[in-house]
Amino acid sequence: MADSWSSPGLDVHLDWQPSTGRGGLTTAIRAAIREGRWQAGAAVPSTRSLAHDLGIARGTVTRVYADLAAEGYLHTAQGAPTRVATAGSLPQSAPRQAPREPAPRWDLRPGRPDLTAFPRQAWLTATRRALLRTPAAAFGYESELGAPELRETLAGYLARARGVVADPDRVVVCHGYSHAVAVLSRALHGLGVGEVAFENPSLGRYRSIAAAQGPRVVGVDVDEHGLDVSALDSPAVVVTAAHQYPTGVTLAPHRRAALARSGAWVLEDDYDGEFRFDRQRVGALQALAPERVVYAGTASKTLAPALRLAWLVLPRSLVEPVRAAMADSGSRPAVPDQLALAELIDSGAYDQHIRRSRAEYRTRRARLMAALPDSVRPQGIPAGLHLLLRLPPDGPSEATALAACRRRSIGIEGLTPYWMTPDRPGGLLVGYAATPKHAFAGAIQTLIEALWEITT
Ligand SMILES: Cc1ncc(COP(=O)(O)O)c(C=O)c1O
């Protein structure tokens, strides 16, 4: 057995109890390889370092490695580090790592911005400027509700761009909208809210996050005027008022007024409120009842989901409960990123990026609409990053449509998983923002081919 001296010091985790001896160690490493924690083809720790880490004799590790090499789990070669066998040569009994779904050639998944348009240069400049002028104290533990600079900047930006009633004291910066849903649900549950209503259809991910914090989750149907407010019977509700996700309708003025008067706690998820293409954007619902409506915004559509930056504007009475929930969650976005976002907004580069993206997405949506066959009906207002296509009632099913797309390597979603109740109409959710600009024409052409195939 060749010594694995040339791959020293790798830090590894093994489920191994010293009392199980050499046999137990062999089993633990075999399991680590089978489960993919020790990856196919990767160098393993040297016998010296593993023996040192486990507090056992080096000779024991050498024998274990020899046994595993004999079984085909490890590959040894003179003068080279010992490695996990490559995927193709692992023993049959070792389940291979699940093959990764190849990335679709044409990315029409909804809810994603064009990541190739991320303003790298502007972000770099903003980060550099912010870091150079920020006092050392900003890098401590203090900013539980978010960096004061960003809270102040967001209050001004949201009042200006979205008509939100905001002051810095009620702004909280969260680690993405998912985190915002979690901390708000926890805070409300702590105040005795036992049930939270979500729009039906809506994203299951956020319903699960809310339910994990304690409240029961129920659904309220959405029609062409948005959430059916008259059917709301819960003390709290989550609503995508400006552009319902996923149907794309907007909450009608009479329903906005009724919801604001309802007395329920409302979480207004304004996930893509910056992108309205036909006319002036409708201001935030929050302004109608700032002491009952929590406004939520995110950088996931305007910049990139990977930033994990979102914000809440809270009724005053919820600031302390949400602060406590934030502290309990142990999570908050990195301060340097918060400072960079504040700088990006203050410098005007954020607005500039949004205006550019809005113009681009408006054009893409218009091109998609113009290309669609008559038999599929697009639903929703001209806004956001996606479109819902209703399929003809007597035509192909959603599953048939998805299969036709999959055959052409189109990444796209169906409507069905968003329903909270069975036997609801299907549809296709087409995201026109995700694909890089140069691939957009090809993506749309391929989608149209798939739609023609199933509808003619
Ligand atoms: C309806 C809706 N709300 C909010 C978000 C933003 O979520 P996050 O900030 O966790 O990326 C998304 C993103 O997919 C969304 O689709």
Side-chain angles (χ1 to χ4, degrees):
M1 157 108 195
D3 194 352
S4 49
W5 54 267
S6 55
S7 55
L10 295 175
D11 212 9
V12 295
H13 168 77
L14 284 173
D15 291 324
W16 175 67
Q17 297 299 325
S19 58
T20 61
R22 177 177 150 196
L25 182 58
T26 311
T27 305
I29 296 178
R30 210 186 279 122
I33 294 173
R34 281 187 176 153
E35 290 159 18
R37 286 179 281 122
W38 284 28
Q39 289 186 346
V44 304
S46 67
T47 51
R48 189 193 307 275
S49 87
L50 189 59
H52 178 265
D53 287 353
L54 299 179
I56 57 177
R58 186 177 174 196
T60 307
V61 179
T62 304
R63 281 196 293 277
V64 167
Y65 277 12
D67 291 345
L68 289 168
E71 291 176 25
Y73 283 92
L74 296 181
H75 176 74
T76 61
Q78 200 65 43
T82 299
R83 293 182 176 277
V84 177
T86 54
S89 57
L90 275 171
Q92 285 302 315
S93 61
R96 312 274 147 83
Q97 282 162 273
R100 284 212 186 135
E101 279 269 310
R105 166 133 195 246
W106 309 110
D107 193 351
L108 294 175
R109 289 173 294 177
R112 294 152 196 257
D114 179 356
L115 300 178
T116 64
F118 181 78
R120 292 177 192 236
Q121 200 52 52
W123 185 260
L124 265 175
T125 306
T127 302
R128 188 180 150 73
R129 279 200 200 142
L131 287 184
L132 286 176
R133 68 155 186 254
T134 301
F139 300 116
Y141 286 108
E142 282 73 20
S143 57
E144 216 163 49
L145 293 173
E149 294 85 346
L150 180 57
R151 295 170 69 203
E152 180 154 0
T153 293
L154 281 172
Y157 168 78
L158 294 171
R160 162 170 67 78
R162 300 295 298 121
V164 174
V165 176
D167 60 68
D169 291 345
R170 45 167 94 195
V171 175
V172 182
V173 187
C174 298
H175 200 199
Y177 175 71
S178 323
H179 183 225
V181 172
V183 292
L184 185 67
S185 304
R186 186 179 174 96
L188 289 176
H189 193 241
L191 294 173
V193 171
E195 185 175 282
V196 177
F198 276 75
E199 294 163 312
N200 184 29
S202 57
L203 264 169
R205 180 164 76 240
Y206 302 125
R207 302 196 299 258
S208 308
I209 288 172
Q213 300 301 322
R216 211 171 30 257
V217 164
V218 298
V220 173
D221 277 357
V222 166
D223 61 22
E224 71 277 19
H225 301 299
L227 180 86
D228 179 3
V229 177
S230 66
L232 177 65
D233 191 27
S234 307
V237 59
V238 180
V239 62
T240 43
H243 189 220
Q244 206 276 327
Y245 196 83
T247 63
V249 300
T250 190
L251 191 64
H254 65 283
R255 291 206 178 156
R256 284 165 63 93
L259 190 54
R261 276 196 315 267
S262 70
W265 294 111
V266 179
L267 172 56
E268 178 182 17
D269 174 8
D270 196 36
Y271 64 103
D272 68 0
E274 292 84 357
F275 299 112
R276 176 94 196 222
F277 308 134
D278 54 341
R279 60 183 172 93
Q280 188 59 28
R281 282 152 282 147
V282 177
L285 167 68
Q286 182 264 6
L288 301 182
E291 299 307 330
R292 286 317 270 188
V293 180
V294 178
Y295 174 89
T298 173
S300 288
K301 318 290 172 180
T302 52
L303 290 170
L307 290 177
R308 309 313 301 141
L309 281 168
W311 40 88
L312 294 176
V313 182
L314 295 165
R316 290 206 184 285
S317 60
L318 290 184
V319 173
E320 177 47 32
V322 167
R323 190 207 56 74
M326 287 280 289
D328 285 350
S329 79
S331 177
R332 50 181 117 153
V335 167
D337 288 346
Q338 296 186 48
L339 298 174
L341 180 59
E343 172 63 34
L344 197 76
I345 297 173
D346 290 341
S347 70
Y350 186 68
D351 284 58
Q352 225 174 53
H353 178 67
I354 289 175
R355 275 201 301 277
R356 251 195 321 266
S357 308
R358 193 187 298 136
E360 171 66 19
Y361 298 157
R362 176 193 284 123
T363 306
R364 291 187 186 194
R365 188 178 193 280
R367 286 173 62 188
L368 170 59
M369 294 286 281
L372 287 173
D374 292 339
S375 51
V376 291
R377 290 169 302 128
Q379 182 177 326
I381 56 166
L385 279 54
H386 79 283
L387 194 66
L388 171 60
L389 298 182
R390 297 281 197 189
L391 297 162
D394 50 353
S397 67
E398 177 183 303
T400 305
L402 288 174
C405 289
R406 215 173 300 122
R407 279 196 297 280
R408 290 170 171 79
S409 194
I410 301 173
I412 199 166
E413 283 185 17
L415 177 61
T416 299
Y418 291 81
W419 292 110
M420 301 167 77
T421 38
D423 302 327
R424 297 300 189 106
L428 287 181
L429 287 169
V430 186
Y432 42 78
T435 183
K437 192 171 178 168
H438 66 84
F440 182 70
I444 294 307
Q445 192 188 328
T446 313
L447 173 68
I448 300 303
E449 281 167 23
L451 293 175
W452 276 113
E453 177 198 309
I454 57 165
T455 54
T456 51

